[in-house]
Amino acid sequence: MTFKNSKTKKTTSKKYRCVVKAEKKPVEEAYKINSATATGVKTITVELNKAVADATKITKVDVKKGTAARDSKFTVDGSKIVIKMDTKLMAGTYTVTVEGLEAAALTADVAVEKNETLTSFEISPNLTLENKGATETAICNYSALNQYGEPMVADAPSVSTSFSSVANIERVATATTKGKIKVDKIPAVLAIQGTKGTIVLVDKNNGVNTSAEVTLSAAATAAEATVVGTYNTASSAMEALRAGASLGNYYILLTVKDQYGDPVDKEAFAEVANISIAGGITNVEISASDPKSALTTVTVDGTEYIAIKLKNKIAKSGTYTMTIVNAERGLLSSATYDVVDSVVINSISINPKNGVYEKQENEMEYSIIDKDGKEVTNYAVLTADGGVRFTEDTGMKWEKNADGTAKLVYEPKVSAPTSSDTASTIATIVAMANDPTSSNYIVKTFTFTVNRERMVKSVQGLADGTSTSVAVNKELKIAFDKIVYADQYSNKVTKDDSKIYVPKEKVSTAEIPKLSTGCAVAFETVDSAFETAEFKGGNFVFKSTKPGAVNVYLKYADGSKAVKAGANNYDYKFIVTAADTGSVAPASLKIDSVNGGYAWYVGEATEGAPTPKDLSTADIKVVGMIGGAQTEIPTNQYVIKEIKNNSITQAEEAAGTKTKTATVTVQVTTWDSYNNPTETEISADFQVSVEKRKVFKVTGTDDTRLSTANVGKAVSASVLQACFKFRDQYNTDNADKAVGSILGAGKVAGNVTYSINVSEVPASATANGYRVTGNGTNGASVEFKAPGVYTVKVTAKVNDTEKTVTLKINVSASE
């Protein structure tokens, strides 16, 4: 380097040597085994000191007793390696070896103290009558459990019960099948449903003694059938049906449970089952002309399933429908399934449907064309091996629609900068299609603009159809959730946008202070002072004794500053008018609804039915137009003149008619400008019925009813239905109800279908950390394979209504 003296003007040169030392990288902790223990009669769990970052590095896992190696398979779950063996562990010491994680193999010894040993019995809480006509014979299920809490084969225990002196083991419990206790000669005084008693099982060889309280209950019958999948005997594996396959090698596997949640065996199921397959061109048919004779059992990975054998034909691509009916209970399952074609994808195009935003699922439009130029939309085809998949941890995924087509959703895993409310970033997604080893393999890269998460910024208005006109002396209520907001991109935000929707009860008619979000409201009367113009109990409430109007100003508060709404500070203004309905134009009168659009019960007072009552004017809503606004007419202005066809005769009911159309006619009185009355008759059709109450509409959700689950325990429809609220076809209670309040305690709504989407899995879960079966049917269920917190979105649908609930489920390793 050269330096110059400003006074002497002399220059001096100096040489320096700069040594840059390499930064010391932290030494990564080596893998080691913290523990290795027997966690099942065929299972060893190895706990490492840290999570496995790349499971493919594990090249081999061995289990040996002495020099003899055990046949086994392993899975990696975070820091755990779970080893499943084909044979049971016997007393002694085993050596576990894990290769690939470090240069030297990791080893550990596992001490098994004793052979599989009976330690307890598990007795069902329900002692069910043997069949529908039984009065003195009942059945109770039991399991024999080993030291790991797993079902096992055990000698028949002795049995005694407070219900009778005659009891024996009808079927001995095994590792895959529950045992059956049969109780005979139950005296009439005890043979009453709801009677409680005890059952005691004793195994003298092991000194095991278990006593349990049981309740005498109605006969068990199949109440829930879930299609698990198809099993190929040629490969001894669960496989999707593919075009060209020999169907004679395949079974359709089911799990069947009774109304108490206990498994139903093949014999009991065959007594009541009615199974049909509409295969069309798929060639999927049941092997026997009598479906019951085609039933058998198949055990996969230690679980026994009821199996339906298929006819020996060559499968063709397409969709088939399988319907399972319990002759004594009704429909158990009806759903479509696919025979997947070997499709070769030729091109892929993906675009956002309504933009892409952080922290939400964005629906994507796609166009996927096969080699024949045909559009591919089938979920089974797109998600099959060789279909269309995406790089992991990007948030792009397929979901199945009820009709079997695929929906593509994208929840970005990148974050936009926070420099502004409308800042954005770029995300890159890689899509792959076809077999990666073939010449047809496609890899395509997409880039999307990811906008910052949506935030409510202003009030946009009221929901379509919201009435703002009221008759004099009548009360008008406008629910808070009728307010529609807008985000920073001018997108509409309604109550269905749960992630960004404004919470209830934040409305204030005074000033909303800083740091409090919500909606500020101001009321200003025009022409007359409304006696009531307020926000109360989650509703805007209006009432006036004479014609007039009130202005309502709405202003959204985002918490950055104090907000007070008014004529000079509002996002949206609407006017509520009180009108004299006597002067309404007769031509505009109509019956808006009878019983709110629900059916009307005309049967007798019987269990499972609403209370019979006559139709009155209070059940009929009449409206007319005043000043361009639809206004409800008070009931004192009209009377019922006639109701036609509003009963179901004995002959009709005997012929199977339970519901039909009736007509009601009402006479409405209005007055002209000279105060002369005008009588106008108007009519409307409505449904009358004598059917028992059934679930008719899904009306609400409850995300608190399912927050925990257990590994290996399926969460099925009987549990999922508790996350929703419903109304029956009569709207009996004019309130959202649980299924048990409509059908009776413990019953399942067979006409409700469920679609399950697991959107987030814990870091400890592998790609197979959960399994969804029967999606889009009443038999839908999800089973979790690893502990942790899962995000699960469930959609319930019945008739033309559906609701979706998002659940955070904490899955425990054991009960």
Side-chain angles (χ1 to χ4, degrees):
M1 299 181 72
T2 301
F3 301 90
K4 186 176 182 180
N5 190 309
S6 60
K7 291 183 178 180
T8 63
K9 307 300 183 183
K10 290 183 179 181
T11 58
T12 304
S13 296
K14 291 283 186 180
K15 291 183 178 180
Y16 295 88
R17 186 173 67 174
C18 183
V19 179
V20 179
K21 294 184 179 180
E23 181 184 356
K24 288 186 178 181
K25 294 183 178 179
V27 178
E28 188 174 348
E29 183 184 16
Y31 285 100
K32 62 181 180 180
I33 295 177
N34 283 345
S35 64
T37 54
T39 53
V41 74
K42 295 182 181 179
T43 306
I44 289 176
T45 299
V46 176
E47 183 71 55
L48 302 173
N49 61 318
K50 61 179 182 177
V52 178
D54 184 0
T56 61
K57 288 186 177 180
I58 301 178
T59 57
K60 189 177 182 180
V61 175
D62 270 347
V63 177
K64 292 182 179 179
K65 188 178 184 185
T67 58
R70 292 293 187 98
D71 290 333
S72 62
K73 297 178 182 178
F74 72 93
T75 57
V76 180
D77 181 5
S79 62
K80 292 181 181 179
I81 302 174
V82 180
I83 309 166
K84 296 280 189 180
M85 280 150 285
D86 293 338
T87 57
K88 296 179 181 180
L89 295 167
M90 308 298 286
T93 301
Y94 292 77
T95 300
V96 176
T97 304
V98 180
E99 297 180 9
L101 288 177
E102 299 291 346
L106 307 178
T107 62
D109 289 338
V110 179
V112 178
E113 295 182 359
K114 53 187 176 182
N115 298 342
E116 184 179 41
T117 304
L118 176 70
T119 58
S120 65
F121 293 104
E122 185 179 68
I123 301 172
S124 169
N126 298 294
L127 175 63
T128 61
L129 293 170
E130 187 175 36
N131 53 55
K132 192 162 60 174
T135 58
E136 62 175 16
T137 304
I139 301 294
C140 188
N141 295 325
Y142 82 97
S143 296
L145 305 180
N146 63 22
Q147 65 266 44
Y148 305 105
E150 301 169 314
M152 64 174 288
V153 177
D155 293 336
S158 62
V159 55
S160 60
T161 174
S162 61
F163 282 91
S164 172
S165 60
V166 183
N168 57 74
I169 301 299
E170 181 85 354
R171 181 180 64 217
V172 179
T174 70
T176 58
T177 307
K178 288 196 174 187
K180 186 183 291 186
I181 304 165
K182 187 174 183 180
V183 182
D184 282 312
K185 297 184 179 179
I186 301 174
V189 68
L190 297 177
I192 301 170
Q193 291 184 34
T195 301
K196 296 184 182 297
T198 57
I199 288 180
V200 180
L201 296 180
V202 178
D203 183 276
K204 296 179 181 178
N205 297 328
N206 294 279
V208 174
N209 183 322
T210 300
S211 175
E213 183 182 73
V214 297
T215 303
L216 189 70
S217 306
T221 186
E224 179 184 328
T226 301
V227 177
V228 177
T230 47
Y231 181 79
N232 185 356
T233 56
S235 61
S236 299
M238 300 287 290
E239 293 179 0
L241 295 180
R242 287 189 171 275
S246 177
L247 292 172
N249 294 328
Y250 285 84
Y251 290 87
I252 298 175
L253 303 188
L254 312 172
T255 58
V256 181
K257 294 182 180 180
D258 61 27
Q259 67 268 45
Y260 306 107
D262 287 330
V264 175
D265 59 31
K266 183 198 72 174
E267 290 74 21
F269 183 60
E271 289 179 4
V272 297
N274 186 343
I275 305 167
S276 61
I277 292 181
I281 63 170
T282 61
N283 280 344
V284 179
E285 296 179 27
I286 298 174
S287 63
S289 56
D290 176 13
K292 294 178 183 178
S293 64
L295 293 178
T296 184
T297 57
V298 170
T299 300
V300 181
D301 295 333
T303 302
E304 185 178 89
Y305 299 97
I306 295 174
I308 306 170
K309 185 170 175 54
L310 298 179
K311 187 173 288 188
N312 191 19
K313 290 189 173 185
I314 301 301
K316 295 182 180 181
S317 62
T319 300
Y320 65 95
T321 301
M322 185 168 73
T323 302
I324 304 173
V325 175
N326 179 339
E328 298 177 357
R329 191 178 178 90
L331 180 69
L332 301 185
S333 175
S334 180
T336 57
Y337 305 91
D338 299 291
V339 177
V340 181
D341 201 352
S342 298
V343 172
V344 175
I345 305 299
N346 195 51
S347 67
I348 306 171
S349 175
I350 301 172
N351 292 290
K353 188 173 183 179
N354 295 301
V356 175
Y357 303 94
E358 289 179 321
K359 300 179 183 179
Q360 73 172 55
E361 289 187 345
N362 304 276
E363 186 173 354
M364 310 297 282
E365 293 180 333
Y366 65 89
S367 176
I368 297 174
I369 309 298
D370 68 14
K371 63 180 180 180
D372 298 320
K374 296 179 180 178
E375 194 91 23
V376 182
T377 60
N378 185 279
Y379 174 84
V381 173
L382 290 170
T383 58
D385 292 340
V388 178
R389 59 266 187 209
F390 307 94
T391 44
E392 293 184 9
D393 300 325
T394 57
M396 190 77 76
K397 59 188 176 183
W398 295 109
E399 292 183 1
K400 187 177 182 180
N401 294 319
D403 62 358
T405 59
K407 177 182 178 181
L408 185 60
V409 295
Y410 177 38
E411 187 170 6
K413 300 302 180 183
V414 299
S415 298
T418 58
S419 53
S420 73
D421 290 345
T422 56
S424 63
T425 189
I426 299 297
T428 301
I429 303 291
V430 178
M432 298 149 285
N434 305 321
D435 186 341
T437 63
S438 73
S439 60
N440 299 311
Y441 187 50
I442 295 175
V443 178
K444 188 167 182 180
T445 300
F446 297 91
T447 58
F448 302 108
T449 299
V450 178
N451 298 294
R452 194 170 171 203
E453 64 180 304
R454 296 169 62 199
M455 295 170 276
V456 173
K457 287 295 182 180
S458 64
V459 177
Q460 191 181 82
L462 297 177
D464 293 342
T466 303
S467 178
T468 57
S469 179
V470 62
V472 168
N473 291 320
K474 283 188 68 71
E475 187 177 79
L476 173 68
K477 288 185 178 181
I478 300 177
F480 171 75
D481 60 18
K482 294 292 185 181
I483 299 176
V484 176
Y485 299 90
D487 64 16
Q488 70 268 44
Y489 306 101
S490 298
N491 296 317
K492 181 187 292 187
V493 180
T494 69
K495 63 180 180 179
D496 294 326
D497 299 302
S498 57
K499 287 190 176 181
I500 59 174
Y501 185 62
V502 181
K504 275 194 174 184
E505 305 306 332
K506 293 295 184 183
V507 168
S508 173
T509 55
E511 183 177 76
I512 290 186
K514 186 177 179 180
L515 302 179
S516 175
T517 60
C519 184
V521 181
F523 299 105
E524 178 185 277
T525 57
V526 179
D527 298 333
S528 73
F530 270 55
E531 284 75 21
T532 303
E534 62 183 356
F535 183 80
K536 183 179 180 181
N539 296 285
F540 296 100
V541 183
F542 304 93
K543 188 174 183 181
S544 180
T545 56
K546 56 184 178 180
V550 58
N551 291 331
V552 183
Y553 303 95
L554 304 178
K555 178 71 177 179
Y556 177 68
D558 64 5
S560 62
K561 59 184 178 180
V563 171
K564 184 173 177 63
N568 298 315
N569 186 37
Y570 65 90
D571 294 331
Y572 179 76
K573 165 189 169 184
F574 65 95
I575 301 173
V576 176
T577 57
D580 183 354
T581 55
S583 60
V584 66
S588 71
L589 294 168
K590 67 176 182 178
I591 295 176
D592 188 60
S593 66
V594 178
N595 194 32
Y598 291 84
W600 189 260
Y601 182 68
V602 293
E604 301 295 329
T606 58
E607 184 181 355
T611 302
K613 59 180 181 178
D614 294 331
L615 193 70
S616 70
T617 54
D619 303 307
I620 303 169
K621 182 179 179 181
V622 177
V623 296
M625 300 298 291
I626 299 177
Q630 182 172 286
T631 306
E632 185 174 350
I633 306 300
T635 55
N636 61 8
Q637 277 186 236
Y638 55 92
V639 295
I640 296 175
K641 291 287 290 183
E642 184 180 33
I643 305 177
K644 293 181 179 179
N645 208 33
N646 67 320
S647 65
I648 295 176
T649 66
Q650 289 184 343
E652 287 175 328
E653 195 165 354
T657 301
K658 291 189 175 182
T659 301
K660 67 179 184 180
T661 301
T663 303
V664 62
T665 300
V666 300
Q667 179 178 288
V668 187
T669 302
T670 56
W671 291 266
D672 62 18
S673 57
Y674 299 101
N675 207 29
N676 296 316
T678 301
E679 310 292 354
T680 304
E681 290 189 1
I682 52 177
S683 301
D685 291 339
F686 65 103
Q687 297 297 112
V688 293
S689 178
V690 293
E691 286 189 308
K692 288 187 176 181
R693 294 172 67 190
K694 60 184 178 182
V695 171
F696 182 65
K697 289 184 178 182
V698 54
T699 53
T701 61
D702 184 351
D703 61 7
T704 66
R705 296 304 299 270
L706 178 56
S707 58
T708 60
N710 293 299
V711 169
K713 299 287 187 180
V715 177
S716 59
S718 59
V719 177
L720 295 176
Q721 73 177 14
C723 301
F724 298 92
K725 298 294 184 181
F726 304 88
R727 296 199 181 196
D728 65 28
Q729 75 272 38
Y730 304 112
N731 196 21
T732 305
D733 302 305
N734 193 30
D736 301 337
K737 296 283 187 177
V739 166
S741 298
I742 297 174
L743 303 181
K747 293 189 177 180
V748 176
N751 60 332
V752 183
T753 61
Y754 301 91
S755 297
I756 302 170
N757 171 41
V758 181
S759 58
E760 293 180 6
V761 300
S764 61
T766 64
N768 298 316
Y770 65 91
R771 181 177 67 181
V772 176
T773 57
N775 223 1
T777 73
N778 181 251
S781 67
V782 56
E783 180 182 337
F784 303 103
K785 302 298 185 66
V789 178
Y790 294 73
T791 300
V792 182
K793 184 169 67 175
V794 184
T795 299
K797 185 175 183 180
V798 57
N799 298 324
D800 60 348
T801 63
E802 65 177 57
K803 290 286 181 181
T804 299
V805 62
T806 300
L807 306 167
K808 290 285 187 182
I809 303 178
N810 189 1
V811 178
S812 301
S814 60
E815 293 186 13

